[in-house]
Amino acid sequence: MDLYEYQGKELFATVGLPVPRGMVAVTPEEAKAAAAQIGGRVVVKAQVQVGGRGKAGGVKLADGPAEARSVAEQIIGMDIHGHTVHRVLVEEASDIAREMYAALILDRGAKKVLAMLSGIGGMDIEQVAHEHPEALSRVWVDPLAGWSDYVSRRLCFGAGLGAELVRPMSDVFTKLWDAFTRYEATLVEVNPLILTADGRLVALDSKFSVDNNSLYRQPAVAAMRDVEAADPQEQMALERGVTYVKLDGDIGVLGNGAGLVMSTLDVVADAGGAPANFLDVGGGAKAEEIVSALEVITSDPKVKAIFFNIFGGITRCDEVANGVLTAVAQMGITMPIVVRLDGTHDVEGREILAQADVPNLFVEATMLAAADKAVALAAGRES
Ligand code: GDP
Ligand code: MN
């Protein structure tokens, strides 16, 4: 899960990492009030989860409340690289002496956290790495050893920072590491990390991504989830504990077991169709589990046909067949559903479905035949 700048800064503040004083505003009037409360010169910043806001005109300085109101009016509602601005962060303006770059990134390949520091910041790190490769310092941190001042020193000397910055920068990185580990982040990036005219290091921006699998034990972070921005099906699946990933086709796919569902996506694509989702119902055959899964799938208006792929191992196909019938009857689904049943008690399962004689239910014994059928039905070539 990616956080907005203001949320990342809230987390920074909890570990004592200095951030400018600021408030979130949803309307120009609120931005004006925020500027009045903060006092002096402020900066008004678009809150969207995309970089390059500065260049796109989403970050503007204002001399006081009246100007804060007028720049907020320009920024709220603006489109920045496909993201509409709904909120702005109003902050006390900083007097910048130097812009630097600091980051901690989970490097999955190395199975370590990669710490990066550059004495040049404010622009894309790719650009820094390209134009000033000597300015970017990288150190991999052993997760079991954790952070130590020695890592900070290596980063600072590697980036060519002056000796006077080593201590304060070590302090910043210790706190960044604290935030990274405490909130189970996969990425924490500060660009720019500034040196103010009066010699303080301050996090002027924040990019913060946390591991979704940790959210159950990170209530403060989980509460930051942006329900508005979330995909409605993925949000629904999350609330119901259904393992679901939205895709962009029109054939709803569900099956028992992640591997089987992934193969099903391939088979649908191979048959010339486009899957609308990935959904693993697990080993369950209970009607209520199938209802939950089908409700998530059918709430996607793009879905025109459903392909339910079951391979019965421990799960028995006759029990799944009964679950499917109960779910379909209960939900009153009218779109075509292709069911492939194979494995334990498959003959009985197919028999149960055939006996029920539901007009929009099609039963197939193989995955390929079922995929062809689902693709034809979604395309309206069969009924
Ligand atoms: P981004 O463009 O989306 O990465 O947004 P940033 O938060 O990094 O802001 C972009 C740039 O705006 C920074 O690199 C700064 O140069 C400038 N900026 C942001 N806040 C202030 C501020 O308080 N004072 C001044 N003078 N410049 C600022
Ligand atoms: Mn930035």
Side-chain angles (χ1 to χ4, degrees), residues 57-360:
V59 177
K60 287 199 161 79
L61 289 160
D63 272 328
E67 200 182 347
R69 187 189 190 290
S70 73
V71 296
E73 203 156 15
Q74 293 164 35
I75 295 173
I76 295 169
M78 207 176 144
D79 177 278
I80 301 182
H81 308 303
H83 297 247
T84 308
V85 181
H86 297 295
R87 289 182 214 102
V88 290
L89 173 62
V90 183
E91 280 185 343
E92 59 179 336
S94 301
D95 197 355
I96 305 174
R98 182 174 183 183
E99 300 198 10
M100 292 175 282
Y101 172 96
L104 295 171
I105 297 166
L106 176 64
D107 180 344
R108 293 175 196 273
K111 299 191 179 76
K112 287 179 180 159
V113 176
L114 168 60
M116 295 202 281
L117 171 64
S118 170
I120 302 172
M123 52 168 137
D124 282 351
I125 197 59
E126 288 80 7
Q127 199 181 335
V128 174
H130 184 71
E131 290 171 18
H132 309 276
E134 74 294 341
L136 181 64
S137 171
R138 279 182 270 208
V139 179
W140 280 266
V141 187
D142 188 315
L144 298 178
W147 197 263
S148 74
D149 276 352
Y150 141 86
V151 181
S152 302
R153 282 195 294 276
R154 270 186 59 199
L155 280 170
C156 291
F157 293 127
L161 295 195
E164 74 290 352
L165 279 176
V166 174
R167 264 171 179 279
M169 193 57 89
S170 294
D171 187 46
V172 163
F173 264 101
T174 304
K175 286 168 176 165
L176 264 188
W177 178 262
D178 193 9
F180 189 90
T181 50
R182 191 187 296 185
Y183 300 113
E184 303 184 79
T186 53
L187 167 83
V188 169
E189 189 184 74
V190 185
N191 189 25
L193 171 68
I194 60 160
L195 180 65
T196 61
D198 56 358
R200 292 172 301 119
L201 291 176
V202 176
L204 208 63
D205 193 6
S206 157
K207 200 169 160 193
F208 210 123
S209 304
V210 290
D211 186 342
N212 281 336
N213 295 309
S214 303
L215 289 178
Y216 75 96
R217 58 185 179 198
Q218 294 287 351
V221 182
M224 292 177 167
R225 182 180 285 278
D226 187 4
V227 179
E228 280 164 59
D231 175 81
Q233 276 74 46
E234 297 207 332
Q235 182 61 29
M236 189 172 171
L238 191 80
E239 283 160 12
R240 292 164 184 230
V242 173
T243 310
Y244 172 96
V245 179
K246 177 86 155 263
L247 301 169
D248 49 18
D250 57 6
I251 300 175
V253 172
L254 68 163
N256 61 328
L260 181 68
V261 179
M262 283 195 272
S263 314
T264 310
L265 303 181
D266 288 346
V267 171
V268 166
D270 216 44
N277 66 278
F278 167 100
L279 194 157
D280 175 14
V281 288
K286 290 200 203 82
E288 57 266 38
E289 289 164 354
I290 298 174
V291 168
S292 253
L294 288 176
E295 277 177 352
V296 173
I297 289 179
T298 54
S299 71
D300 177 355
K302 288 209 298 288
V303 174
K304 296 207 194 80
I306 297 167
F307 178 3
F308 194 171
N309 192 1
I310 294 296
F311 182 81
I314 296 167
T315 306
R316 284 170 39 185
C317 290
D318 52 340
E319 288 180 357
V320 178
N322 284 319
V324 169
L325 288 177
T326 311
V328 171
Q330 188 180 323
M331 292 173 64
I333 297 180
T334 53
M335 76 170 76
I337 305 178
V338 182
V339 183
R340 175 260 185 161
L341 286 172
D342 194 3
T344 309
H345 290 205
D346 55 348
V347 177
E348 293 87 335
R350 287 197 292 273
E351 184 57 28
I352 289 167
L353 294 181
Q355 291 281 323
D357 198 23
V358 179
N360 59 325

